């Protein structure tokens, strides 16, 4: 399966972001902690090159806690301001305020020297689809959330949210990039639901997912679906082995079609759902 998805509305969204970048002091990049590198958009990297940057490792509750620490260390070594958050529960979200002040310290100081006081930091919240941008903004803004539509240079349809007197956020649509040089990146994005599921073949996606999970967390798969597999996890499973396991999952979960034939499509959807919702345990499918 070719992992690729770049619908027209994303081109438009990029244009909108390019037009607005001059108004922005800070880029808040939301990534998925389960695949912290693959869920970073290189186009966003370019766009925000000269801006302060915060990286939010969102969905940290679904990712492997040991790996979360590793990735935090990685981003720290890269000189980025990074934070683990769970936007769904709100854990870690409050700490973003302090990080914003830290990341924008130079700008705030510059303003102060010029006699500009109380100009809020303007931040653009960016990320690929489904990483949790909206959930983060809602959690961060809480009840104080208010749209501030009439900014200079900002036409209707953009969403400025005034968080408090120190911070305004520009919400942006999730965007991918035109071509994945590395198909494994596209594959991981499909795992976390950042690509349109309707253009995916569930059985193939599930087999790729089985191969990755078995490589990093073999016991999780074996336990949840009572699999009999004894393959060496140090080697990636072959496509045939993965297909065999999908069939075992179908049997274990009683997904049968006509004539008691294992329904691989249903088993695939079930497995993908189990992974996405954390029912297979906390997993990170990318190592630094
Ligand atoms: P987006 O704007 O970047 O496209 O993402 P959005 O906020 O719509 O979030 C996508 C899905 O991810 C939502 O689930 C949301 O609840 C979930 N989510 C966001 N942040 C976190 C997090 O930190 N941890 C966990 N576990 N989930 C998170 P959904 O299935 O679409 O909706 P719902 O069933 O949660 O209502």
């Amino acid at each position: 399966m070719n992992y690729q998805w770049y619908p027209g509305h994303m081109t438009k969204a990029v244009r909108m972001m390019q037009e607005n970048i001059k108004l922005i002091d800070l880029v808040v990049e939301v990534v998925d902690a389960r695949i912290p590198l693959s869920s970073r958009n290189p186009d966003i990297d370019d766009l925000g090159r000269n801006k302060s940057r915060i990286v939010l490792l969102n969905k940290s509750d679904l990712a492997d806690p040991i790996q979360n620490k590793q990735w935090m260390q990685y981003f720290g070594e890269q000189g980025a301001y990074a934070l683990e958050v769970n936007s769904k529960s709100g854990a870690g979200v409050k700490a973003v305020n302090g990080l914003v002040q830290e990341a924008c310290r130079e700008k705030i100081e510059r303003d102060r020297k010029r006699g500009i006081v109380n100009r809020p930091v303007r931040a653009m919240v960016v990320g690929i689809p489904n990483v949790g941008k909206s959930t983060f903004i809602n959690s961060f803004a809480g009840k104080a959330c208010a749209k501030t539509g009439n900014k200079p240079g900002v036409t209707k349809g953009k969403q400025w949210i005034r968080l408090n007197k120190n911070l305004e956020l520009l919400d942006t649509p999730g965007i991918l990039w035109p071509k994945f040089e590395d198909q494994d990146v596209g594959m991981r994005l499909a795992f976390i639901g950042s690509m349109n599921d309707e253009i995916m073949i569930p059985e193939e996606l599930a087999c790729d997912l089985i191969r990755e999970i078995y490589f990093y967390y073999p016991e999780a798969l074996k336990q949840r679906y009572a699999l009999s597999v004894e393959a060496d996890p140090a080697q990636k499973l072959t496509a045939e082995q993965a297909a065999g396991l999908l069939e075992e999952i179908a049997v274990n979960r009683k997904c049968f079609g006509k004539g008691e034939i294992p329904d691989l499509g249903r088993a695939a959807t079930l497995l993908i759902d189990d992974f996405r919702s954390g029912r297979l345990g906390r997993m990170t499918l990318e190592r630094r």
Side-chain angles (χ1 to χ4, degrees):
M1 182 165 50
N2 185 29
Y3 291 104
Q4 203 63 56
W5 187 50
Y6 193 65
H9 72 259
M10 291 189 188
T11 318
K12 265 199 207 152
V14 172
R15 213 170 297 135
M16 179 277 266
M17 288 156 76
Q18 284 164 342
E19 283 162 10
N20 281 281
I21 195 73
K22 56 185 177 298
L23 304 172
I24 300 295
D25 306 304
L26 171 73
V27 172
V28 177
E29 185 181 4
V30 183
V31 304
D32 189 309
R34 293 167 297 178
I35 51 165
L37 282 192
S38 293
S39 59
R40 297 192 84 183
N41 183 339
D43 286 352
I44 289 176
D45 225 34
D46 278 352
L47 189 76
R49 189 173 299 130
N50 300 317
K51 304 288 172 180
S52 302
R53 173 92 54 109
I54 289 179
V55 178
L56 297 181
L57 278 171
N58 193 38
K59 306 201 184 187
S60 58
D61 56 308
L62 298 174
D64 183 332
I66 295 167
Q67 292 303 319
N68 284 345
K69 296 282 166 287
Q70 297 278 335
W71 281 108
M72 282 296 291
Q73 194 181 339
Y74 166 86
F75 285 114
E77 285 164 12
Q78 302 279 310
Y81 293 95
L83 205 59
E84 273 179 50
V85 291
N86 170 356
S87 297
K88 205 164 174 172
S89 74
V93 168
K94 283 243 156 48
V96 175
N97 270 312
L99 209 60
V100 168
Q101 297 303 311
E102 229 181 288
C104 294
R105 194 181 300 138
E106 273 181 32
K107 173 224 163 289
I108 294 166
E109 190 54 25
R110 220 172 30 240
D111 278 359
R112 201 184 56 78
K113 281 191 182 142
R114 287 183 191 152
I116 306 169
V117 280
N118 294 334
R119 187 169 86 71
V121 168
R122 286 186 294 220
M124 188 189 253
V125 180
V126 298
I128 63 170
N130 209 41
V131 283
K133 293 176 300 301
S134 313
T135 311
F136 164 71
I137 289 175
N138 290 338
S139 168
F140 193 39
K143 287 200 165 53
C145 169
K147 286 183 199 173
T148 60
N150 301 322
K151 291 254 145 218
V154 181
T155 52
K156 260 172 92 181
K158 313 233 165 30
Q159 197 177 7
W160 279 98
I161 298 156
R162 185 172 196 132
L163 279 208
N164 52 47
K165 65 179 182 10
N166 296 323
L167 184 59
E168 291 179 6
L169 294 183
L170 178 61
D171 191 6
T172 67
I175 54 162
L176 292 166
W177 58 106
K179 186 170 176 5
F180 304 129
E181 296 301 334
D182 179 355
Q183 274 289 295
D184 283 356
V185 169
M187 174 186 77
R188 294 185 195 112
L189 297 180
F191 292 162
I192 63 163
S194 289
M195 279 210 265
N196 184 358
D197 277 333
E198 282 167 23
I199 60 163
M200 298 293 146
I201 303 164
E203 293 90 322
E204 289 192 24
L205 182 60
C207 283
D208 281 341
L209 183 58
I210 287 171
R211 295 180 74 219
E212 295 303 307
I213 295 180
Y214 194 80
F215 184 66
Y216 292 114
Y217 304 97
E219 292 310 317
L221 267 187
K222 286 190 200 175
Q223 282 167 13
R224 182 155 181 92
Y225 308 114
L227 301 179
S228 59
V229 60
E230 286 307 334
D232 176 6
Q235 305 279 325
K236 285 226 169 132
L237 297 174
T238 63
E240 290 70 32
Q241 285 173 312
L245 290 194
L246 183 59
E247 195 165 330
E248 279 196 47
I249 292 171
V251 173
N252 176 266
R253 283 296 184 262
K254 301 190 171 36
C255 301
F256 295 114
K258 263 194 198 146
E260 297 293 285
I261 294 170
D263 183 338
L264 300 188
R266 254 174 68 205
T269 306
L270 185 141
L271 168 78
I272 294 164
D273 261 18
D274 280 353
F275 165 71
R276 287 181 183 169
S277 59
R279 284 190 291 270
L280 279 163
R282 298 176 66 171
M283 295 180 169
T284 302
L285 297 182
E286 190 164 57
R287 296 291 180 271
R288 51 176 299 196

